Amino acid sequence: MREELFQFIWQYRLYATTGDLFTSDGQFIQIVHPGYPNKNAGPDFLEARIRIGPTLWAGHVELHLKSSDWKRHHHEEDPLYNKLILHVVFQHDESIETADGSVFPTLELGPYLNQELMTRYEHLLNQTRFVPCAAHLNEITDLQWANLKSRMLSERLEQKIQEVRMTRYRVKGNWQELFYLELASGFGLHVNKDIFRQLAASIPLSLLSRCKQSLFRIEALLFGQAGMLENEFEEQYPRLLQQEYAFLRIKYNLKPLQQEHWKFLRMRPANFPTVRIAQFAALIHQSSQLAGKILEAESLHQLESLFHAELSPYWLTHYTFQEASAEKSKAPGQAFIRSLILNVLIPYVFVYGKDNAREAYCTKAMHWLNQLPAESNNILNEWKKLGAPIEHAGDSQALLHLKTTYCNPKACLRCSIGYQIMKGNPSGKHASEQQSGFTS
């Protein structure tokens, strides 16, 4: 028996009995409400309602695999456990008491448990397929998929919203600086996200504004702070950038990052951080009041048009310094711009609307999310093979969250599909429906 499964069984009352429950000392017990899971210090379930004998008790419940775990966890020394009304254990091997010397009833749940349910759980944990429940996904109804994706998307958005709000807290509520840092993170993609944010944070926004009229100066500032102008160059353009940065570094007392923190390995040349920095520089140079224009944009087409920036001529024939390549425009492509919209602009606009009581911005952000085409990557390709419905970016974000947050750590007990499998009814249909072959 695993502790997480034991708590799951208690929470959803999945113990296998149609008869009465009794405490270890023989008292009749009825679980009116098992309580609410406690994520903080103290008992596992709060505000339970338990009838023991003739008395209905309201209070907290603690769960352990063995009664002796009470002492092993030193609960007898903790006053948080003084108001317990029930100790639920898989195996009752020792009598216990609270810090104030009180004793309370113990329910040994082991004899009442369904072995088949435990077998199902172990089967899920031992699966090596893309997701543990892969064999059951063809039984999931459209309504179940819709509900699951809605929940996963809400969690994904909440996660991103909290990240944006943490940044806003660090910049003391400055929306312009918040947008600048979030946009820089987006240009770093997943691999260079953190170092790109560090680069942006190392250059005051006011300094970038002073240099805005000169793309050359902005590039010198960004590449210099990125630590990419520390080498000896043969080509004239990087040497000129190096000279310009040397001047700016002294004038503004700048400290560059270390070049080795940037990741190039196993990346497509178009995603090299040198190209992304050049694109970021061009966007800063060519745009004006970008954050405000994004807030007022109505369509995805308007948003995309704001990011069509042309880079300096040097980058037509280069992906990195000193390594010439065939001439090709390095302007941001549609796929990258849509990645920025999905991962930066939508969360920013949503948070701006929430925190300024402008619900129209939140509605607009969600509209963009459902208009964007679904992302394409290996994880989503595997979901498609299993028949998961993916219609737009909201769906793809939901399934990415499901895979990384629930499926990878095999947190099946917190997933609605896992819950139905544990009950032995993945489709969620009533027994009479299953017997008659009825499908919803």
Side-chain angles (χ1 to χ4, degrees):
M1 172 59 66
R2 298 170 187 264
E3 188 171 341
E4 64 271 18
L5 175 59
F6 193 52
Q7 293 199 359
F8 176 83
I9 290 170
W10 171 256
Q11 182 178 356
Y12 295 103
R13 309 187 214 195
L14 298 179
Y15 26 87
T17 178
T18 56
D20 295 334
L21 296 172
F22 294 91
T23 64
S24 60
D25 58 358
Q27 297 184 79
F28 166 76
I29 182 169
Q30 179 189 12
I31 314 303
V32 179
H33 192 284
Y36 302 97
N38 178 24
K39 298 180 180 179
N40 302 309
D44 293 320
F45 287 82
L46 307 179
E47 301 177 31
R49 296 193 303 279
I50 312 290
R51 187 178 301 279
I52 303 174
T55 306
L56 179 62
W57 297 85
H60 310 326
V61 175
E62 177 70 4
L63 272 66
H64 286 120
L65 295 184
K66 293 183 177 182
S67 303
S68 54
D69 290 338
W70 176 273
K71 293 182 178 178
R72 190 166 63 86
H73 296 161
H74 304 291
H75 292 332
E76 75 279 6
E77 303 170 4
D78 191 340
L80 286 174
Y81 294 85
N82 284 350
K83 295 184 179 180
L84 230 59
I85 60 172
L86 184 67
H87 191 206
V88 180
V89 299
F90 177 68
Q91 179 185 353
H92 183 44
D93 63 343
E94 183 177 346
S95 296
I96 51 89
E97 59 183 36
T98 63
D100 63 2
S102 302
V103 294
F104 43 79
T106 296
L107 170 62
E108 184 177 22
L109 206 54
Y112 300 104
L113 297 190
N114 186 331
Q115 185 59 47
E116 185 181 349
L117 182 144
M118 292 185 278
T119 301
R120 287 192 205 111
Y121 184 56
E122 290 299 326
H123 179 71
L124 284 174
L125 291 187
N126 292 329
Q127 284 295 312
T128 57
R129 297 183 64 179
F130 172 69
V131 292
C133 61
H136 299 275
L137 291 183
N138 62 343
E139 304 173 51
I140 304 304
T141 66
D142 291 343
L143 179 59
Q144 281 180 306
W145 272 121
N147 289 338
L148 179 63
K149 288 188 296 183
S150 177
R151 176 191 162 194
M152 292 299 108
L153 181 58
S154 295
E155 289 186 11
R156 179 86 161 183
L157 283 173
E158 184 61 29
Q159 188 179 76
K160 289 188 175 184
I161 287 167
Q162 291 308 315
E163 290 172 0
V164 173
R165 282 179 170 154
M166 284 298 295
T167 303
R168 187 184 173 212
Y169 174 78
R170 287 194 291 268
V171 300
K172 299 178 180 179
N174 186 317
W175 287 101
Q176 285 293 116
E177 191 168 352
L178 166 63
F179 177 74
Y180 165 58
L181 292 176
E182 291 299 314
L183 186 62
S185 296
F187 268 83
L189 299 174
H190 179 71
V191 175
N192 286 299
K193 176 180 178 179
D194 292 338
I195 188 66
F196 220 120
R197 180 184 286 262
Q198 291 177 42
L199 169 62
S202 74
I203 305 171
L205 196 54
S206 58
L207 176 54
L208 272 182
S209 298
R210 284 197 289 271
C211 299
K212 178 178 171 55
Q213 300 306 315
S214 169
L215 177 57
F216 170 75
R217 179 164 282 193
I218 292 176
E219 280 199 6
L221 192 56
L222 288 170
F223 282 113
Q225 279 298 96
M228 295 182 180
L229 298 178
E230 302 294 316
N231 303 325
E232 293 184 7
F233 299 109
E234 295 179 2
E235 295 178 317
Q236 183 182 26
Y237 187 70
R239 287 207 309 269
L240 291 174
L241 289 177
Q242 195 175 50
Q243 293 169 13
E244 181 67 18
Y245 175 68
F247 166 76
L248 294 171
R249 180 178 179 177
I250 294 173
K251 182 176 181 179
Y252 295 106
N253 193 28
L254 301 173
K255 183 178 180 180
L257 305 175
Q258 294 183 353
Q259 183 175 358
E260 56 267 25
H261 290 165
W262 295 92
K263 297 179 177 64
F264 288 80
L265 191 63
R266 291 189 290 276
M267 296 183 70
R268 293 174 55 245
N271 289 330
F272 281 175
T274 40
V275 175
R276 296 306 182 200
I277 291 173
Q279 292 172 343
F280 190 56
L283 184 65
I284 292 171
H285 171 60
Q286 296 176 31
S287 63
S288 177
Q289 301 297 321
L290 183 58
K293 290 178 180 177
I294 287 166
L295 288 170
E296 299 312 314
E298 293 299 332
S299 68
L300 285 176
H301 177 71
Q302 284 179 286
L303 282 180
E304 291 176 358
S305 67
L306 296 173
F307 290 86
H308 293 157
E310 288 299 326
L311 282 62
S312 61
Y314 177 82
W315 297 106
L316 287 173
T317 55
H318 290 78
Y319 288 97
T320 61
F321 287 116
Q322 298 220 123
E323 294 186 20
S325 60
E327 184 171 327
K328 184 178 180 181
S329 171
K330 306 300 189 306
Q334 186 181 57
F336 175 65
I337 293 174
R338 286 179 171 176
S339 172
L340 290 177
I341 293 172
L342 180 60
N343 295 298
V344 178
L345 307 191
I346 288 175
Y348 175 81
V349 172
F350 192 91
V351 172
Y352 185 89
K354 276 291 183 187
D355 292 359
N356 289 284
R358 304 282 295 276
E359 198 63 32
Y361 286 122
C362 302
T363 302
K364 182 162 57 176
M366 294 305 297
H367 180 64
W368 291 340
L369 183 61
N370 292 326
Q371 277 191 316
L372 275 175
E375 302 151 271
S376 178
N377 56 41
N378 292 335
I379 292 177
L380 295 170
N381 289 339
E382 291 296 324
W383 275 120
K384 289 177 182 177
K385 290 177 185 177
L386 293 172
I390 308 176
E391 299 176 5
H392 47 66
D395 287 347
S396 59
Q397 285 283 289
L399 291 175
L400 287 171
H401 183 77
L402 176 61
K403 169 65 173 169
T404 56
T405 308
Y406 291 84
C407 304
N408 286 353
K410 295 190 176 179
C412 305
L413 300 181
R414 296 191 290 114
C415 170
S416 59
I417 294 177
Y419 170 73
Q420 294 295 341
I421 292 172
M422 291 298 293
K423 289 178 64 178
N425 184 13
S427 68
K429 294 183 288 186
H430 296 299
S432 59
E433 294 172 347
Q434 292 177 312
Q435 291 168 3
S436 65
F438 176 84
T439 56
S440 57

